Amino acid sequence: MKTTLCLALLLAASAAHALSDSEKETLMTAAQQAYAQQDYATAREKWQTLAEAGDAEAQSNLGILYGKGRGVAQDYGQARAWWEKAAAQGDADAQHNLGILYDNGWGIAQDYGQARAWYEKSAAQGNAIAQYNLSDLYYKGLGVPQDYAKAREWTEKSAIQGHAAAQFNLGFLYENGQGITQDYGQARSWYEKAAAQDVAQAQNNLGVLYAEGRGVAQDYAQARAWYEKAAAQGHAQAQSNLGFLYENGQGVTQDYGKARAWWEKAAAQGHANAQYNLGVLYANGQGVPQDYTLARAWYEKAAAQGDAKAQFNLGILYNAGLGVAQDYGKARAWWEKAAAQGYAKAQHNLGVLYANGQGVPQDIAQARMWYEKAAAQGDAKAQYNLGVLYGNGQGVPKNNARAR
């Protein structure tokens, strides 16, 4: 009991010692230096002393150590406890970090309403990251009704402070006219700010604006320059877009070899359109020896991701027996996948299979149905074949007026 009593008295004496401003400054400086040197144990010791004395910044920083597991076992519960203490004193970073916990359900039940409440407290103090995260909740309608105008309002506050992702998002809102009047000039302006901070998606989108002449004079050289910046950061869409420029000789000398090289980079990242385009190169022998087997392999990768063009082209290979045994059943299966996505050529070709009884029992009614779907999208072949059915009275009452 004596030992316990002495220890209790010692702790009481320590707690009673109030830290002077000079002591606080010394402890904070030492903690920050230790943290910068990744000496997290020392940083925690100094911040713990300050935090127990009620220092909000130290409480917030202790929360970071626990939240990231630096010098301590990761513990979101402890992080939350310290952030709540700091947030109660108005610490904006702690308020934001509490929002993050609720937003992601880290160490607590996910609760977008609570996330919003904490982000709002922090955002009201000008915290740019909290403003950005709040905008994301409004854009996606998480814990609040979806509201593009509110999303823009908070995105703009964050972007003005130089938050790169917010600058990109503001550009995206202007480009698509979400929560604001569509304005390609404003989109370009905000994309440029984000691109200057190496946001690859912004660099790619600037390339798209120049390639399509949206809000700027069409300029393929500028498009290429921006695509290259994004592609150098591994941005798959930009790599695919560069391939497209080289395939078509837009702003560069047409070069199927370079198109293939860029599409290979994008395809290796799982970019479906690049995989499809590689399939086309091999199927047509453009810049490579014609190879239907490799064409099929690339089409399959893209088709597995739901690319309708690749699904259609796989059907073509099976229908014609190119690089595979001819198989109308497999052709039909791939065309059905593409047709279900509204791909008119696939719908037309299904009509042909049913009209001719290839891989299926002949069924003029099914042929007509598929021709009608494709014809409604303006497919000329389907419109012609539908006319033939009406002209001959096949599966429908003969109707020369409709045949025309």
Side-chain angles (χ1 to χ4, degrees):
M1 287 295 292
K2 269 188 179 178
T3 304
T4 305
L5 180 59
C6 289
L7 178 59
L9 289 170
L10 180 61
L11 287 173
S14 298
H17 173 65
L19 295 171
S20 67
D21 289 344
S22 174
E23 287 173 319
K24 288 179 181 179
E25 186 177 348
T26 299
L27 284 168
M28 183 60 75
T29 301
Q32 290 169 340
Q33 289 174 345
Y35 187 86
Q37 294 165 6
Q38 298 184 6
D39 180 0
Y40 300 126
T42 298
R44 180 171 63 86
E45 176 194 342
K46 306 299 183 187
W47 278 331
Q48 184 91 27
T49 302
L50 284 165
E52 288 174 352
D55 187 284
E57 183 182 353
Q59 292 168 341
S60 183
N61 289 345
L62 268 181
I64 289 172
L65 293 183
Y66 280 104
K68 295 185 175 182
R70 291 181 174 171
V72 290
Q74 189 178 51
D75 187 331
Y76 290 125
Q78 279 289 326
R80 180 168 57 87
W82 283 112
W83 284 333
E84 284 176 347
K85 292 178 186 293
Q89 297 189 66
D91 187 276
D93 289 337
Q95 292 167 342
H96 166 259
N97 288 343
L98 283 170
I100 290 286
L101 293 186
Y102 281 104
D103 198 347
N104 294 282
W106 289 340
I108 198 163
Q110 190 175 52
D111 187 328
Y112 293 122
Q114 281 290 323
R116 177 179 59 83
W118 284 113
Y119 287 154
E120 284 177 344
K121 290 179 186 293
S122 181
Q125 295 192 66
N127 186 294
I129 304 174
Q131 292 168 342
Y132 170 78
N133 288 343
L134 191 54
S135 75
D136 192 56
L137 294 184
Y138 279 106
Y139 185 83
K140 295 175 180 175
L142 299 174
V144 291
Q146 189 178 54
D147 188 330
Y148 291 134
K150 282 278 191 186
R152 179 188 57 81
E153 176 188 334
W154 286 112
T155 302
E156 198 165 55
K157 290 179 186 293
S158 180
I160 288 169
Q161 294 193 69
H163 191 281
Q167 292 170 340
F168 167 77
N169 283 2
L170 192 54
F172 186 85
L173 292 177
Y174 274 108
E175 182 180 7
N176 294 283
Q178 294 177 317
I180 198 164
T181 304
Q182 189 177 54
D183 187 328
Y184 292 124
Q186 281 289 331
R188 177 175 57 85
S189 175
W190 285 108
Y191 283 153
E192 285 175 347
K193 294 178 189 296
Q197 296 193 64
D198 289 328
V199 176
Q201 184 67 49
Q203 294 167 339
N204 174 74
N205 286 15
L206 279 169
V208 173
L209 293 183
Y210 279 103
E212 298 182 0
R214 294 181 183 175
V216 290
Q218 190 176 54
D219 188 331
Y220 290 121
Q222 278 289 325
R224 177 175 59 83
W226 283 114
Y227 289 153
E228 285 176 346
K229 290 179 186 289
Q233 295 191 66
H235 192 276
Q237 183 61 55
Q239 293 168 341
S240 180
N241 289 345
L242 276 171
F244 187 82
L245 293 185
Y246 279 104
E247 180 197 23
N248 294 284
Q250 294 174 322
V252 292
T253 303
Q254 188 180 52
D255 188 327
Y256 290 121
K258 287 186 176 177
R260 176 175 57 83
W262 282 113
W263 283 334
E264 284 176 346
K265 291 179 186 291
Q269 295 189 67
H271 192 279
N273 196 52
Q275 294 167 340
Y276 161 77
N277 287 342
L278 284 170
V280 172
L281 291 186
Y282 281 104
N284 296 332
Q286 294 171 310
V288 289
Q290 191 175 52
D291 188 327
Y292 290 120
T293 301
L294 277 174
R296 177 176 59 84
W298 284 113
Y299 288 153
E300 284 176 347
K301 290 179 186 291
Q305 296 190 67
D307 188 284
K309 301 186 301 295
Q311 292 167 343
F312 173 75
N313 283 7
L314 276 171
I316 293 290
L317 295 184
Y318 280 105
N319 186 66
L322 299 173
V324 291
Q326 189 179 51
D327 189 326
Y328 291 126
K330 287 186 176 177
R332 177 175 58 84
W334 283 113
W335 285 338
E336 283 176 346
K337 291 180 186 292
Q341 297 189 64
Y343 198 74
K345 290 181 179 179
Q347 293 168 339
H348 165 262
N349 285 8
L350 282 170
V352 172
L353 291 185
Y354 279 104
N356 296 329
Q358 294 171 314
V360 290
Q362 189 178 49
D363 187 330
I364 301 302
Q366 280 287 319
R368 177 175 59 85
M369 181 197 74
W370 285 114
Y371 287 154
E372 286 176 344
K373 289 181 183 288
Q377 296 189 67
D379 187 276
K381 290 182 179 178
Q383 291 167 343
Y384 172 80
N385 286 347
L386 195 55
V388 170
L389 293 185
Y390 278 103
N392 295 330
Q394 290 177 290
V396 290
K398 187 171 181 176
N399 188 325
N400 289 329
R402 292 201 68 176
R404 286 197 298 270

